[in-house]
């Protein structure tokens, strides 16, 4: 509406993969800002505005969380579970972005109310197209449950 | 010539109508009179009998002795059953024999002395006796040879029969338990249940047999218990009843069942482990592939733009991902080799291995101080020395790697013997591990901190080596900052 920017929290422990996602979004046709954390606990701190992420100016609430499953210590499923269990962020859209296409991972993710489940394509063309579609979808088409951030008409 | 006798008090009528064979002989054994029953019994006509002596009516083998006895009898005649303590037989005209009870009555008259002999055919009784004896022998044989314990009790629960299998099973002799309550063989709570049942039965007459066809516990003389399978049969005996309990010791069956269940569990666990392994391996191998593909694409874009700085970075990432993939593949190969290559087990000096590993790690520390305390009495083990060395090296390296900012790093190494195995340990005062990760760390390619070097296969390899040696591996740590102790067990060679 007023030059809305898509804020994304990227939770990814593989620095190469994070770099790939970030670069894809840099080339993106929708305005966006990516906030990257590499551990589950950090992600929760960010979302709950704890510790280093207390300032809403530097750590704004994201429109969507891109969450890897295979994280050291607190894994993606646990992070998702804690998001859903925290009233202030329970409705936050969470997109799983992982290398795993294992049925039990998909089942567990949806069991914890993931909004979407994406498998990182190995192929570069598909990888960039997925990121393109992803950004566009969440900024252009999606309606959010909170009032101050409405849809950006294309 | 016997008329004088037979006329007396209807004696003749009585003799004639008697069902037992009867004969009157003179003192020399000559038959003077015979009744129809006797004729029928021996198959002679009355006229024929009149020509015979009593010896003619007995088998050859008795005759000589009988003549002698008859001579004695003539001197001291008295009424008596004949052949006391002997099995007597009659000899029929057709040569067949039959068992008989014979009694002799001395008749004294003016005309002289006579003997009244009564012959009672006991064939039927003998047959019945034989059948009964047969039955008893058979029953006894069953009781004696049964593998199952067979215990017969009366309605009050008192033991009447206790077969050899029961003696072996419970450790009492039949003599010891006869007349004792069956509760002697029952542990609580069966004993109390049974007592309650007996009390109830004696009070109300209500009959209820407990423990039919279900598994309960038996109590041996030495106080130990064992699982039994019990079936109870009820036998009415006049106004009373007997209970026959057949008891099978199912200890072995139980053991076999438990073993089977354990094996199944092991197999399921192994399967799950394999699944996890494939899952992890495929995930971890796919990651660098995405990096290689992704940055190759990026490289192309950077080349188009002529951004050489970025190109260098992309190439570096591609190379790193490719070598990581190589390392992962080598690690996987190494892990799979542990189970396959088995050097024959030999005696391993743990003390020597530990010192070697500690020296190796110390060399790499380059100047950082490290105190080690190695227990003097480190017991030897049996196994593959190369593999066991890997275990020590990995655990000691880990201890150093996760020492954190400890000012006085200390590694303690020791062992303790526990039931048939020796538990070795490596204890450090480093950063420790939160209890919730105590299982996770042994997983393939698991790293709690993505910034530590290595693929995260070390502990998976250690675990595999220890398990291939028949032992187990675990960790103990109070939590972060509190140090940790890794334990591994091996069979005690002693």
């Amino acid at each position: 509406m007023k030059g809305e920017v898509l804020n994304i929290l990227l939770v990814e422990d593989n620095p190469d993969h994070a770099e790939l996602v970030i670069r894809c979004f840099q080339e993106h046709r929708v305005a966006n800002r990516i906030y990257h954390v590499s551990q589950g606990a950090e992600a929760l701190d960010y979302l709950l505005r704890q510790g280093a992420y207390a300032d809403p100016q530097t750590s704004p609430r994201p429109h969507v969380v891109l969450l890897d499953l295979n994280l050291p210590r607190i894994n993606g499923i646990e992070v998702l579970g804690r998001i859903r269990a925290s009233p202030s962020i329970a409705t936050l859209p969470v997109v799983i972005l992982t290398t795993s296409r294992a049925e039990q991972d998909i089942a567990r993710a949806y069991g914890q109310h993931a909004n979407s489940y994406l498998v990182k394509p190995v192929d570069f063309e598909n990888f960039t197209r997925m990121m393109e579609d992803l950004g566009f979808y969440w900024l252009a088409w999606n309606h959010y449950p909170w009032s101050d951030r409405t849809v950006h008409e294309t | 010539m016997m008329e004088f006798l037979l006329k007396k008090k209807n004696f003749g009528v009585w003799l004639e109508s008697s069902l037992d064979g009867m004969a009157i002989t003179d003192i020399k054994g000559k038959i003077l009179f015979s009744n129809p029953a006797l004729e029928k019994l021996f198959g002679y006509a009355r006229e024929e009998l009149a020509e015979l002596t009593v010896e003619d009516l007995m088998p050859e083998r008795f005759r000589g002795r009988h003549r002698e006895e008859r001579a004695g009898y003539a001197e001291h005649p008295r009424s008596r059953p004949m052949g006391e303590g002997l099995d007597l037989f009659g000899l029929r005209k057709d040569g067949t024999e039959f068992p008989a009870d014979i009694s002799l009555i001395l008749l004294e008259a003016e005309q002289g002395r006579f003997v009244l002999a009564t012959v009672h055919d006991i064939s039927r009784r003998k047959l019945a006796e034989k059948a009964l004896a047969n039955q008893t022998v058979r029953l006894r044989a069953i009781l004696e040879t049964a593998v199952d314990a067979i215990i017969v009790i009366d309605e009050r629960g008192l033991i009447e029969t206790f077969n050899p299998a029961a003696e072996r099973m419970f450790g009492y002799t039949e003599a010891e338990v006869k007349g004792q309550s069956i509760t002697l063989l029952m542990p609580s709570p069966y004993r109390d249940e049974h007592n309650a049942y007996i009390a109830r039965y004696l009070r109300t007459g209500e009959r209820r047999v407990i423990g039919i066809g279900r598994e309960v516990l038996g109590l041996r003389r030495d106080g130990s218990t064992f699982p039994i399978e019990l079936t109870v049969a009820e036998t009415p005996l006049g106004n009373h009843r007997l209970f026959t309990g057949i008891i099978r010791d199912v200890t072995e069956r139980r053991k076999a069942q438990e073993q089977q269940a354990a094996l199944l569990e092991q197999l399921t666990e192994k399967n799950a482990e394999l699944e996890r392994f494939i899952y992890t391996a495929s995930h971890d191998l796919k990651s660098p592939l995405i990096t290689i593909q992704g940055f190759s694409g990026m490289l192309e874009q950077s080349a188009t733009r002529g951004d050489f700085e970025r190109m260098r970075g992309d190439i570096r990432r591609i190379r790193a991902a490719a070598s990581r993939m190589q390392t992962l593949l080598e690690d996987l190969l190494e892990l799979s080799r542990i189970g396959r290559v088995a050097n024959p087990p030999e005696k391993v000096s743990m003390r020597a291995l530990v010192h070697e590993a500690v020296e190796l790690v110390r060399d790499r520390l380059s100047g950082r101080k490290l105190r080690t305390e190695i227990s003097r009495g480190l017991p030897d083990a049996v196994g593959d020395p190369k593999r066991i060395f890997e275990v020590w090296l990995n655990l000691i390296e880990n201890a150093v790697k996760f020492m954190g900012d400890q000012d006085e790093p200390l590694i303690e190494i020791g062992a303790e013997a526990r039931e048939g195995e020796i538990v070795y340990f490596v204890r450090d005062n480093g950063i420790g591990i939160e209890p919730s990760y105590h299982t996770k760390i042994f997983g393939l390619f698991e790293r709690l901190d993505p910034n530590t070097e290595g693929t995260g296969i070390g502990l998976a390899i250690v675990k595999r080596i220890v398990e291939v040696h028949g032992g187990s591996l675990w960790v103990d740590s109070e939590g972060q900052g509190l140090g940790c102790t890794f334990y591994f067990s091996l069979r005690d060679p002693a």
Side-chain angles (χ1 to χ4, degrees):
Chain A
M1 276 198 182
K2 38 178 182 180
E4 187 73 49
V5 169
L6 179 69
N7 288 322
I8 297 172
L9 177 66
L10 173 64
V11 189
E12 170 62 77
D13 70 317
N14 185 318
D16 294 333
H17 291 192
E19 177 68 13
L20 277 176
V21 173
I22 291 165
R23 277 209 215 163
C24 283
F25 274 92
Q26 276 171 3
E27 309 286 327
H28 222 286
R29 61 193 159 110
V30 301
N32 66 76
R33 263 196 299 269
I34 295 197
Y35 300 86
H36 172 222
V37 295
S38 56
Q39 294 218 19
E42 269 184 278
L44 289 168
D45 280 352
Y46 184 102
L47 294 171
L48 296 168
R49 298 241 167 83
Q50 291 166 346
Y53 306 100
D55 185 355
Q57 286 300 314
T58 52
S59 310
R61 175 178 197 153
H63 289 82
V64 61
V65 178
L66 295 185
L67 180 61
D68 189 13
L69 286 185
N70 221 309
L71 299 168
R73 293 178 177 268
I74 306 175
N75 69 34
I77 296 291
E78 284 178 73
V79 172
L80 180 54
R82 294 210 209 162
I83 289 173
R84 293 297 178 243
S86 310
S88 63
I89 51 171
T91 58
L92 195 63
V94 174
V95 173
I96 303 298
L97 182 62
T98 175
T99 53
S100 167
R101 53 173 69 245
E103 284 164 32
Q104 71 264 32
D105 281 337
I106 297 173
R108 261 184 241 133
Y110 282 113
Q112 293 293 334
H113 310 293
N115 297 80
S116 181
Y117 191 101
L118 302 177
V119 179
K120 295 172 192 165
V122 174
D123 177 73
F124 179 67
E125 306 298 325
N126 287 334
F127 194 96
T128 48
R129 190 186 310 154
M130 181 188 272
M131 293 306 124
E132 179 78 14
D133 294 347
L134 185 67
F136 198 76
Y137 177 95
W138 286 105
L139 189 66
W141 300 122
N142 197 57
H143 286 257
Y144 292 89
W146 48 86
S147 57
D148 57 327
R149 292 186 185 199
T150 41
V151 188
H152 173 76
E153 303 287 343
T154 45
Chain B
M1 68 177 290
M2 296 299 298
E3 282 72 19
F4 68 94
L5 259 178
L6 300 176
K7 274 180 197 148
K8 212 170 181 179
K9 293 180 181 172
N10 289 334
F11 193 44
V13 178
W14 177 71
L15 285 181
E16 291 284 341
S17 60
S18 169
L19 290 175
D20 283 333
M22 290 183 162
I24 296 173
T25 68
D26 66 15
I27 210 74
K28 286 178 180 153
K30 172 132 183 59
I31 297 171
L32 304 175
F33 169 83
S34 60
N35 71 348
L38 190 82
E39 292 153 23
K40 201 174 157 207
L41 198 54
F42 286 89
Y44 288 102
R46 182 169 294 200
E47 302 75 47
E48 292 173 306
L49 283 171
E51 302 299 319
L52 301 175
T53 63
V54 286
E55 275 87 19
D56 294 319
L57 298 180
M58 58 184 64
E60 181 70 45
R61 61 184 183 280
F62 293 110
R63 285 178 191 162
R65 187 166 162 202
H66 188 262
R67 273 189 207 103
E68 287 166 26
E69 280 186 2
R70 188 158 47 73
Y73 186 76
E75 281 166 35
H76 311 283
R78 59 186 173 94
S79 299
R80 61 170 173 94
M82 197 174 129
E84 273 168 306
L86 272 181
D87 282 338
L88 296 176
F89 291 86
L91 177 69
R92 296 195 189 90
K93 185 184 177 184
D94 64 10
T96 57
E97 296 180 14
F98 63 92
D101 276 350
I102 299 168
S103 59
L104 305 175
I105 297 169
L106 180 71
L107 303 171
E108 304 242 23
E110 290 160 25
Q111 286 82 354
R113 286 169 170 172
F114 303 94
V115 176
L116 172 63
T118 308
V119 182
H120 180 67
D121 181 356
I122 57 167
S123 303
R124 258 197 232 156
R125 201 184 80 206
K126 281 284 172 193
L127 268 179
E129 274 175 10
K130 201 172 165 188
L132 188 67
N134 242 328
Q135 203 70 0
T136 310
V137 166
R138 275 178 212 206
L139 271 178
R140 203 69 228 169
I142 292 170
L143 279 175
E144 300 286 323
T145 56
V147 179
D148 290 340
I150 299 173
I151 301 174
V152 180
I153 58 171
D154 64 17
E155 279 172 318
R156 293 163 301 167
L158 303 184
I159 296 169
E160 291 194 352
T161 307
F162 198 73
N163 78 337
E167 294 181 331
R168 286 192 297 274
M169 206 176 281
F170 289 93
Y172 293 101
T173 64
E174 183 172 32
E176 286 171 319
V177 296
K178 236 178 186 167
Q180 295 236 52
S181 169
I182 188 71
T183 53
L184 182 71
L185 311 174
M186 301 174 175
S188 277
Y190 309 105
R191 174 185 297 221
D192 313 320
E193 279 175 31
H194 187 85
N195 281 334
Y197 154 69
I198 291 292
R200 187 186 175 84
Y201 168 65
L202 290 178
R203 198 173 65 245
T204 65
E206 186 193 317
R207 291 162 167 172
R208 200 159 49 86
V209 179
I210 53 172
I212 297 178
R214 63 173 187 180
E215 282 192 20
V216 290
L217 287 179
L219 177 66
R220 293 196 192 91
R221 178 189 210 138
D222 64 11
S224 59
T225 60
F226 59 105
I228 60 173
E229 202 180 70
L230 169 69
T231 46
V232 179
E234 182 189 332
T235 316
L237 203 73
N239 290 334
H240 298 281
R241 300 187 303 174
L242 289 179
F243 295 98
T244 305
I246 298 179
I247 296 161
R248 182 164 295 177
D249 183 342
V250 292
T251 309
E252 290 304 314
R253 194 204 293 168
R254 276 280 180 83
K255 232 187 255 169
Q257 281 169 345
E258 276 163 22
Q259 266 172 0
Q260 202 180 6
L263 271 177
L264 199 67
E265 199 180 316
Q266 249 177 40
L267 200 65
T268 314
E269 173 54 34
K270 283 278 157 211
N271 245 326
E273 200 182 303
L274 191 68
E275 232 167 76
R276 279 200 300 277
F277 175 82
I278 292 168
Y279 170 82
T280 313
S282 64
H283 173 271
D284 283 75
L285 288 173
K286 203 171 157 191
S287 269
L289 260 189
I290 291 171
T291 302
I292 292 167
Q293 282 275 18
F295 282 97
S296 302
M298 290 294 173
L299 196 59
E300 228 174 340
Q301 288 181 353
S302 304
T304 316
R305 281 187 203 140
D307 186 341
F308 294 107
E309 195 48 46
R310 197 173 243 198
M311 282 170 74
R312 257 194 284 277
D314 293 350
I315 292 169
R316 189 178 42 75
R317 284 179 197 269
I318 292 168
R319 280 209 179 133
S323 28
R324 177 169 168 77
M325 224 171 149
Q326 189 186 349
T327 314
L328 287 172
L329 285 171
E330 278 166 6
D331 283 352
L332 283 178
L333 214 60
E334 170 69 14
L335 191 64
S336 78
R337 212 178 280 140
I338 293 166
R340 277 185 298 117
V341 182
N343 296 319
E346 53 183 272
K347 199 168 180 193
V348 179
S349 164
M350 293 302 233
R351 197 172 160 71
L353 289 190
V354 166
H355 281 283
E356 197 182 327
V358 165
E359 285 320 303
L360 203 60
V361 172
R362 217 185 269 282
D363 285 348
R364 292 183 201 159
L365 276 177
S366 58
R368 269 186 68 193
K369 60 174 179 175
L370 170 68
R371 199 155 64 86
T372 52
E373 278 180 15
I374 302 165
S375 152
R376 289 185 177 280
L378 211 55
D380 291 345
V382 166
D384 182 339
K386 273 189 189 160
R387 296 292 185 205
I388 294 177
F389 177 70
E390 274 182 79
V391 171
W392 284 116
L393 186 62
N394 253 297
L395 293 180
I396 295 166
E397 270 178 348
N398 269 357
V400 172
K401 197 159 148 188
F402 300 104
M403 203 47 96
D405 49 10
Q406 175 62 250
D407 292 331
E408 296 186 346
L410 169 67
I411 297 176
E412 292 166 82
I413 292 165
E416 54 187 84
R418 288 183 199 174
E419 301 163 12
E421 50 180 30
I422 299 170
V423 176
Y424 300 90
F425 65 84
V426 177
R427 179 173 298 135
D428 66 56
N429 56 355
I431 61 172
I433 302 163
E434 289 161 56
S436 53
Y437 300 123
H438 284 187
T439 321
K440 195 174 180 179
I441 53 167
F442 298 109
L444 180 63
F445 300 139
E446 285 287 356
R447 289 177 303 164
L448 294 185
D449 179 358
N451 298 320
T452 49
E453 55 179 297
T455 57
I457 203 169
L459 285 177
I461 286 180
V462 170
K463 184 168 187 267
R464 187 99 178 95
I465 294 172
V466 171
E467 282 174 358
V468 163
H469 279 81
S472 48
L473 171 72
W474 68 97
V475 70
D476 200 8
S477 174
E478 300 283 308
Q480 254 180 323
L482 298 168
C484 63
T485 309
F486 280 87
Y487 296 92
F488 66 96
S489 63
L490 291 176
R491 269 191 300 273
D492 191 345

